[in-house]
Amino acid sequence: MGASPRLNRVFHRRPTRAVKIAHLSLGGDYPIVVQSMTNTDTANVSETAAQCADLARAGSELVRLTVNTPEAAAALPAIRERLDESGVEVPLVGDFHYNGHRLLADYPECARALAKYRINPGNVGMGEKRDRQFAQMIEIACRNDRPVRIGVNWGSLDRQLLARVMDRNLKRSEPKGANEIMREAMIESALESASRAEALGLPGDRIVLSCKVSEVQDLIAIYRTLSQSSDYPLHLGLTEAGMGSKGIVASATAMAVLLQEGIGDTIRVSLTPGKGESRTREVIVAQEILQTMGLRAFMPMVMSCPGCGRTHSAFFQDLAQSIQDFVRARMPEWREDCEGIENMRLAVMGCIVNGPGESRHANIGISLPGNGEAPLAPVFEDGVKTATLRGENIAGDFMAIIDHYVACAYRRKNAIKS
């Protein structure tokens, strides 16, 4: 195999219980899991099944769906069946608010089709009704042997619990500020709900917790405290992260701090998709967060310089994009045939300043000629110069070299062992 760099093992994961979700395990010593959520009308079986499949093929290991109406609940078994027929085994998570107790009870096939339930304790009900309806959902989870994510959200905190925390705060000699009270209430809601679920018979190794907010510093503070208060696996995500670069930067900033501290067992990047943009963008961003941090590897990483006055910008940018697209297109076949291919590193560099050096550090790299440089593009494989490209077909020639390198350097999974 080529000299692929090992993933960074410097960080230490927070010890948690391991939770089984269908064929997938999270928490414990298992890899951090990437999750996403559909935005189709769940009652539309064909559209929802297609989006679930797209998300799964992009790398989502759990897909959450809104289950908000009888029609949505009735559609779940058909969605699961379509995915199974297509060979898509991704576990489905039902997202319940307000009427989840009724939908799970009235549509038992929905309860069985789902691999996990998400319950928001702030949207279960009020007073005595809240306790009864929460108990109904937990009892159904127990009956179907399903794990539950208790997902608290800052925008839908239980009002009675919040009032209790605020009253307690007023009695302090030095009352906390509004943000601190919100954090305290969210953590208390999650932990109390988990304790209540266990008292109702749900084993602790079937519980995942989350406390989602939309501000980076709040998320970091909440999860640091939550991680010290229990050993349940934690689902990370900045809710309402936003669109485009803002949503990506906010999500990456918050989660990177926590992940580096060993906090987090599943992640979701909640991006608002641009008009016409694929929902799979959030999956790619989540994978890139984990891979650039050295926590997991999903596909070969393409390093490229930003360009400067030395580079022929258009050609350099086009080649970098072409190689990125080429890798994504080839990855399904490579993933099936090649061991360790996700760890491969490629470099597309723009001039002589850092190009040859960076290319030598990659498994395979190319250094393009900058302004005023000879129209030659040396190619390096595992630190050794193996070719020099020139002419009008540098992109195609380099892709062919990558394909040849992969065929030679990575052991085929199905090869007959000597």
Side-chain angles (χ1 to χ4, degrees), residues 382-409:
D382 295 327
V384 178
K385 181 180 173 182
T386 58
T388 300
L389 304 182
R390 56 174 63 81
E392 300 297 320
N393 194 37
I394 287 179
D397 291 342
F398 187 51
M399 290 176 192
I401 290 173
I402 294 171
D403 257 333
H404 183 263
Y405 177 89
V406 170
C408 295

Side-chain angles (χ1 to χ4, degrees), residues 53-336:
D54 286 345
L55 291 167
R57 289 175 182 131
S60 183
E61 294 157 306
L62 284 171
V63 175
R64 181 158 53 107
L65 306 88
T66 296
V67 188
N68 58 334
T69 63
E71 292 78 14
L76 253 300
I79 293 168
R80 178 72 270 168
E81 184 177 359
R82 287 205 184 190
L83 291 172
D84 290 341
E85 289 172 352
S86 302
V88 179
E89 299 179 347
V90 64
L92 302 180
V93 181
D95 193 52
F96 295 99
H97 299 271
Y98 310 112
N99 59 355
H101 62 291
R102 190 164 61 249
L103 295 177
L104 285 170
D106 292 349
Y107 294 88
E109 290 187 3
C110 167
R112 289 191 290 271
L114 292 168
K116 178 184 168 197
Y117 312 150
R118 185 274 174 120
I119 301 174
N120 181 344
N123 287 339
V124 173
M126 299 291 290
E128 182 185 343
K129 186 184 291 186
R130 176 197 61 204
D131 292 341
R132 184 175 67 252
Q133 292 172 178
F134 181 81
Q136 284 179 262
M137 298 179 77
I138 296 301
E139 287 163 7
I140 292 171
C142 292
R143 191 158 61 244
N144 288 287
D145 195 22
R146 295 295 189 264
V148 169
R149 171 160 70 93
I150 294 171
V152 180
N153 192 294
W154 78 281
S156 53
L157 266 171
D158 183 288
R159 294 179 184 176
Q160 290 178 314
L161 183 146
L162 182 58
R164 187 180 76 211
V165 173
M166 291 174 70
D167 288 343
R168 186 171 67 214
N169 185 56
L170 291 174
K171 298 175 183 177
R172 291 177 172 135
S173 58
E174 295 184 13
K176 297 179 179 179
N179 261 32
E180 289 180 284
I181 291 303
M182 179 268 292
R183 297 170 187 171
E184 185 178 326
M186 291 186 69
I187 294 167
E188 198 161 310
S189 176
L191 295 176
E192 282 189 4
S193 298
S195 179
R196 171 74 172 145
E198 287 205 59
L200 290 166
L202 186 67
D205 61 1
R206 290 187 207 152
I207 297 173
V208 179
L209 299 185
S210 69
C211 288
K212 289 192 173 184
V213 292
S214 57
E215 295 294 331
V216 170
Q217 295 297 342
D218 287 332
L219 191 82
I220 293 170
I222 286 171
Y223 274 87
R224 279 175 172 165
T225 302
L226 190 61
S227 70
Q228 295 168 359
S229 305
S230 77
D231 63 351
Y232 298 112
L234 301 180
H235 170 76
L236 298 188
L238 197 69
T239 191
E240 296 110 22
M243 295 183 70
S245 60
K246 185 271 177 186
I248 293 171
V249 171
S251 295
T253 302
M255 287 195 278
V257 171
L258 294 168
L259 290 168
Q260 187 63 30
E261 295 178 6
I263 300 169
D265 302 282
T266 73
I267 69 169
R268 185 200 170 198
V269 178
S270 300
L271 296 179
T272 303
K275 188 174 182 180
E277 185 179 37
S278 172
R279 189 70 163 182
T280 59
R281 180 65 176 150
E282 67 177 47
V283 178
I284 294 170
V285 173
Q287 290 180 327
E288 289 176 345
I289 290 171
L290 294 176
Q291 186 151 352
T292 54
M293 290 188 68
L295 304 181
R296 285 191 67 181
F298 297 94
M299 68 169 50
M301 294 292 284
V302 180
M303 299 178 295
S304 59
C305 68
C308 67
R310 289 176 174 270
T311 60
H312 294 290
S313 296
F315 180 62
F316 163 67
Q317 292 165 358
D318 289 345
L319 180 61
Q321 185 62 58
S322 295
I323 298 306
Q324 184 71 65
D325 294 343
F326 171 75
V327 168
R328 287 199 176 278
R330 299 288 281 123
M331 193 57 193
E333 179 184 337
W334 288 347
R335 186 182 288 114
E336 288 299 317

